[in-house]
């Protein structure tokens, strides 16, 4: 038996990295990789579009912490892959993208479908390289996975020319090295503890980095012991259970909201695992005058509104525990916190019995929360519904509501739900999408049926690009170029062998959701939504007045 090919060595290296799935499309320039996968333990998931494959790898990486892998051919296949790769990179999800390529003997001349993919993927990845010799395959693969997983996680890219893929290769996969924890300095821990002990009205802001660090338990203990309220970003949901008396829920809307009061009244922001890409500090600290403590795995990004008093850089759980040992704070919850939480909860619950139709987005999300268990997963697409999910869908545990809020790419929900169901086959999964986002990757519902991932797609149907209309109305007082027509979503689903449902009244939604979630095939629910609530909320938020009469204490 002869030496393995480079493609076979690459697959062996992928197996060594623990890869379970590769999402992608077959192509002429990746034939040798596909042939090697026929004899591998890795499951190849054939998708209907490369963007869907990249989104699946993106969400797989976000849920597991291990790089999701996607594969395309060269040229148009590779360009189709880029949106999902960019999404993973900005959202902090580990991903390895592999592209086929023309042979090295064709790169110096004008060649069919040839693009310089290494140059093309460079702006949307942490690192990328072309395999130019068979012998370097193990090194490139090991380095790719190490970089993809290292903080802040993101996307990497490997380009494999077809002639290199077919060459004999001598080598073996490299051993994975253990990543040692990093610990914060005593100076920073002491300084943070002192500032927290002195603060009269501190506030914790948690982001997705806290979920990546699996620091939910430490954060909850930290907040509870020191009696400090917690606000999460869109991508930080569930770090503290939403029922916790210190939970003030989600920050991130592009306009004033109830949670704005907490930031206006706080004397110190303790930012834990917070990434500026999730929500600009200029939105919650526009003057740059609120003192900040930064706790994270990496040093703080530079921003004129985010200049920390102290940077505590190291393992987040260890940092929180060490600060807790040093801090001496017996503060009571202020009137701001107790009153604000009551007001936020009351605002959420007021839609519980709303009967209007088309259904208000707040009511749709309230009912969705009632049928989903604490460990079940919602994947949000991008659009007006994402804003309402961020504000109204609350979580008990991390990674149970996934929102793309770094790159924020439409079309992620359905491919993402496939990945979520593969990772967690025993959990209920719902992809929530607008009608615009649904049509961008609805072809992947066939993939879902074929690979046996039964989940529900809930469509907020308004026959338009609702988020853009919302912004147009706010800025110009009228909308333009946002209307379109839709297919019959029920018949669309049925034509693919799925279950299709249409919500005809507000009372229909919960029983329809329950029925759809019981099916052993993917299901689609067409739910007309009243997006008149968008502009009504904007008018209300513009008139918000702080009913909480309290001075604005600042740290000494």
């Amino acid at each position: 038996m002869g030496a393995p090919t480079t493609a076979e060595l690459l697959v062996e290296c992928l197996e060594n990295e623990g890869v379970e799935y590769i999402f992608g499309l077959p192509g002429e320039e990746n034939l040798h990789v596909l042939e090697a996968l026929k004899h591998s333990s890795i499951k190849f998931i054939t998708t209907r579009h490369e963007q869907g494959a990249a989104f699946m790898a993106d969400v797989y990486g976000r849920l597991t912490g291990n790089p999701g892998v996607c594969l395309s051919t060269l040229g148009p296949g590779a360009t189709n892959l880029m949106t999902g790769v960019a999404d993973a990179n900005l959202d902090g999800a580990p991903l390895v993208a592999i592209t086929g390529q023309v042979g090295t003997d064709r790169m110096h001349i004008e060649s069919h479908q040839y693009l310089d993919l290494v140059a093309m993927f460079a702006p949307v990845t942490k690192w990328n390289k072309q395999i130019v010799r068979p012998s370097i395959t193990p090194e490139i693969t090991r380095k790719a996975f190490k970089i993809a997983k290292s903080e802040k996680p993101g996307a990497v890219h490997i380009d494999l020319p077809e002639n290199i893929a077919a060459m004999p290769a001598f080598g073996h996969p490299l051993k994975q090295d253990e990543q040692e924890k990093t610990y914060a300095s005593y100076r920073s821990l002491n300084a943070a503890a002192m500032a927290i002990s002195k603060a009269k009205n501190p506030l914790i802001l948690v982001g997705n980095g806290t979920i990546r660090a699996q620091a939910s338990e430490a954060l909850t203990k930290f907040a509870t012991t020191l009696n400090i309220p917690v606000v999460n970003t869109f991508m930080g949901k569930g770090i503290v259970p939403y029922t916790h008396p210190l939970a003030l829920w989600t920050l991130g809307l592009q306009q004033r909201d109830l949670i704005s009061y907490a930031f206006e009244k706080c004397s110190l922001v303790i930012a834990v695992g917070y990434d500026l890409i999730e929500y600009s500090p200029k939105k919650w600290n526009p003057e740059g005058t609120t003192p900040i403590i930064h706790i994270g795995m990496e040093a703080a990004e530079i921003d004129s509104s985010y200049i920390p008093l102290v940077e505590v850089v190291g393992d987040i759980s260890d940092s929180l525990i060490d600060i807790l040992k040093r801090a001496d704070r017996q503060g009571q919850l202020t009137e701001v916190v107790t009153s604000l939480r009551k007001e936020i909860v009351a605002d959420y619950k007021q839609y519980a019995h709303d009967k209007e139709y088309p259904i208000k987005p707040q009511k749709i999300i309230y009912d969705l929360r009632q049928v989903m268990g604490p460990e079940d997963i919602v994947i949000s697409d991008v659009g007006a519904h994402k804003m309402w999910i961020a504000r109204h869908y609350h979580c008990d545990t991390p990674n149970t509501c996934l929102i793309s809020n770094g790159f924020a790419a439409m079309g992620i929900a359905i491919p993402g739900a496939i990945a979520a169901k593969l990772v967690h086959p025993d959990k209920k999964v719902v992809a929530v999408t607008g009608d615009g986002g649904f049509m961008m990757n609805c072809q992947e519902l066939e993939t879902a049926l074929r690979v046996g991932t039964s989940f529900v797609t809930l469509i907020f149907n308004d026959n338009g690009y609702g988020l853009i209309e919302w912004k147009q109305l706010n800025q110009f007082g009228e909308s333009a170029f946002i209307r379109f027509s839709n297919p019959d979503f029920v018949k669309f689903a049925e034509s693919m062998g799925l279950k299709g449902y249409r919500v005809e009244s507000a009372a229909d939604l919960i029983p329809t959701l329950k029925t759809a979630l019981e099916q052993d095939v993917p299901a689609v629910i067409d739910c007309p939504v009243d997006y008149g609530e968008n502009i009504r909320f904007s008018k209300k938020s513009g008139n918000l007045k702080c009913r909480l009469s309290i001075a604005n204490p600042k740290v000494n």
Side-chain angles (χ1 to χ4, degrees):
M1 188 174 180
T5 64
T6 305
E8 289 171 331
L9 179 57
L10 173 63
V11 169
E12 187 182 353
C13 291
L14 296 176
E15 291 171 343
N16 183 63
E17 297 292 341
V19 175
E20 293 183 283
Y21 302 99
I22 295 178
F23 307 95
L25 265 71
E28 186 176 347
E29 283 71 19
N30 59 30
L31 288 177
H32 287 90
V33 175
L34 295 170
E35 185 66 20
L37 285 169
K38 285 167 55 178
H39 312 290
S40 171
S41 60
I42 299 171
K43 299 179 182 69
F44 186 80
I45 306 293
T46 303
T47 64
R48 303 304 300 269
H49 194 283
E50 290 88 355
Q51 185 182 108
F55 280 143
M56 291 174 204
D58 175 2
V59 172
Y60 177 94
R62 190 161 160 189
L63 284 173
T64 66
N66 296 316
V69 181
C70 52
L71 174 71
S72 80
T73 188
L74 78 174
T79 58
N80 284 347
L81 208 62
M82 280 193 71
T83 296
V85 172
D87 190 89
N89 204 46
L90 290 192
D91 279 3
L95 177 148
V96 174
I98 302 171
T99 55
Q101 183 56 286
V102 301
T104 53
D105 56 338
R106 289 170 52 195
M107 292 181 185
H108 65 291
I109 57 174
E110 190 170 316
S111 228
H112 179 64
Q113 293 189 315
Y114 172 65
L115 293 171
D116 184 343
L117 298 183
V118 174
M120 189 179 80
F121 275 89
V124 298
T125 56
K126 294 177 69 177
W127 179 84
N128 72 335
K129 278 291 180 289
Q130 185 177 85
I131 298 177
V132 294
R133 292 189 304 279
S135 61
I136 65 174
T137 302
E139 292 173 336
I140 284 182
T141 308
R142 178 80 281 274
K143 186 171 182 177
F145 277 78
K146 184 173 183 177
I147 291 174
K149 286 187 69 172
S150 63
E151 192 65 28
K152 177 184 172 183
V156 299
H157 165 237
I158 299 172
D159 193 38
L160 180 59
E162 59 179 337
N163 64 331
I164 303 294
M167 289 180 181
F170 298 92
H172 54 83
L174 301 184
K175 181 181 177 181
Q176 298 183 39
D177 52 337
E178 293 293 329
Q179 293 294 302
E180 295 293 332
K181 278 187 180 182
T182 57
Y183 296 95
S185 68
Y186 287 151
R187 182 202 62 78
S188 66
L189 293 168
N190 291 332
M194 183 177 295
I196 292 168
S197 298
K198 289 182 177 180
K200 295 178 181 178
N201 195 21
L203 179 67
I204 298 171
L205 171 61
V206 291
N208 188 246
T210 313
I211 294 179
R212 294 196 303 267
Q214 299 180 358
S216 175
E217 183 178 345
L219 190 282
T220 302
K221 181 179 180 181
F222 178 88
T224 304
T225 304
L226 297 177
N227 213 25
I228 303 175
V230 181
V231 177
N232 59 261
T233 63
F234 284 21
M235 294 171 67
K237 285 179 174 289
I239 293 170
V240 171
Y242 78 102
T243 53
H244 195 290
L246 290 168
L248 297 181
W249 300 355
T250 304
L251 170 80
L253 295 184
Q254 300 297 314
Q255 51 200 306
R256 185 172 170 78
D257 199 358
L258 292 170
I259 194 62
S260 303
Y261 298 149
F263 286 86
E264 291 166 6
K265 300 299 181 182
C266 77
S267 60
L268 175 71
V269 171
I270 306 164
V272 185
Y274 165 68
D275 190 335
L276 276 63
I277 200 169
E278 293 186 58
Y279 190 66
S280 171
K282 288 181 169 57
K283 298 289 185 181
W284 53 266
N285 189 22
E287 304 301 322
T289 55
T290 301
I292 297 166
I293 293 174
H294 171 88
I295 302 174
M297 296 289 289
E298 290 187 306
E301 179 60 79
I302 301 299
D303 190 288
S304 60
S305 292
Y306 194 81
I307 303 176
L309 294 173
V310 184
E311 294 191 36
V312 182
V313 180
D315 180 85
I316 291 176
S317 290
D318 288 335
S319 295
L320 292 170
I321 292 167
D322 286 342
I323 293 171
L324 185 56
K325 291 176 181 176
R326 292 165 166 80
D328 180 18
R329 183 178 187 276
Q330 304 297 325
Q332 298 297 312
L333 288 181
T334 65
E335 182 188 349
V336 168
V337 176
T338 54
S339 299
L340 182 56
R341 178 169 168 83
K342 288 178 182 177
E343 194 166 348
I344 291 171
V345 172
D347 179 73
Y348 169 65
K349 290 184 174 180
Q350 69 175 298
Y351 300 97
H353 304 293
D354 194 279
K355 297 179 180 179
E356 292 189 21
Y357 185 85
I359 309 175
K360 291 184 175 70
Q362 303 98 314
K363 169 64 173 174
I364 298 174
I365 295 163
Y366 185 92
D367 284 359
L368 176 62
R369 177 69 277 178
Q370 306 315 301
V371 302
M372 298 293 277
E375 300 289 335
D376 295 332
I377 298 172
V378 164
I379 311 281
S380 175
D381 211 271
V382 174
H385 68 280
K386 185 183 92 167
M387 303 294 110
W388 292 110
I389 287 174
R391 191 173 190 268
H392 285 268
Y393 192 87
H394 309 299
C395 300
D396 289 285
T397 56
N399 276 339
T400 54
C401 179
L402 268 61
I403 298 175
S404 171
N405 210 40
F407 195 59
M410 292 178 72
I412 191 174
I414 292 172
I418 294 172
K421 197 67 177 178
L422 288 171
V423 173
H424 296 294
D426 297 330
K427 295 183 181 182
K428 290 185 284 190
V429 175
V430 175
V432 182
T433 180
D435 44 6
F438 177 83
M439 294 301 293
M440 291 186 180
N441 271 317
C442 57
Q443 75 282 347
E444 299 304 342
L445 286 169
E446 186 280 326
T447 307
L449 179 66
R450 176 167 27 90
V451 301
T453 50
S454 57
F455 59 87
V456 172
T457 301
L458 176 61
I459 305 171
F460 282 46
N461 188 348
D462 72 322
N463 293 293
Y465 293 114
L467 181 59
I468 302 306
E469 181 178 33
W470 189 354
K471 291 178 180 291
Q472 287 176 332
L473 291 172
N474 278 340
Q475 191 166 346
F476 304 112
E478 59 183 3
S479 62
F481 316 120
I482 50 86
R483 289 281 149 218
F484 50 72
S485 61
N486 286 312
D488 183 322
F489 290 128
V490 174
K491 291 181 179 177
F492 179 91
E494 292 173 344
S495 73
M496 300 177 79
L498 317 180
K499 297 289 186 180
Y501 306 90
R502 182 171 293 108
V503 176
E504 304 285 359
S505 70
D508 282 351
L509 183 54
I510 285 181
T512 302
L513 280 165
K514 288 181 176 178
T515 299
L517 285 164
E518 290 171 352
Q519 304 306 310
D520 58 2
V521 295
V524 174
I525 300 175
D526 178 4
C527 185
V529 60
D530 174 15
Y531 272 154
E533 283 297 294
N534 297 349
I535 200 66
R536 285 192 283 270
F537 173 78
S538 291
K539 289 178 179 177
K540 179 181 175 182
S541 69
N543 295 321
L544 278 176
K545 303 296 181 185
C546 186
R547 294 191 288 276
L548 313 172
S549 56
I550 186 169
N552 191 4
K554 291 292 178 182
V555 72
N556 294 329

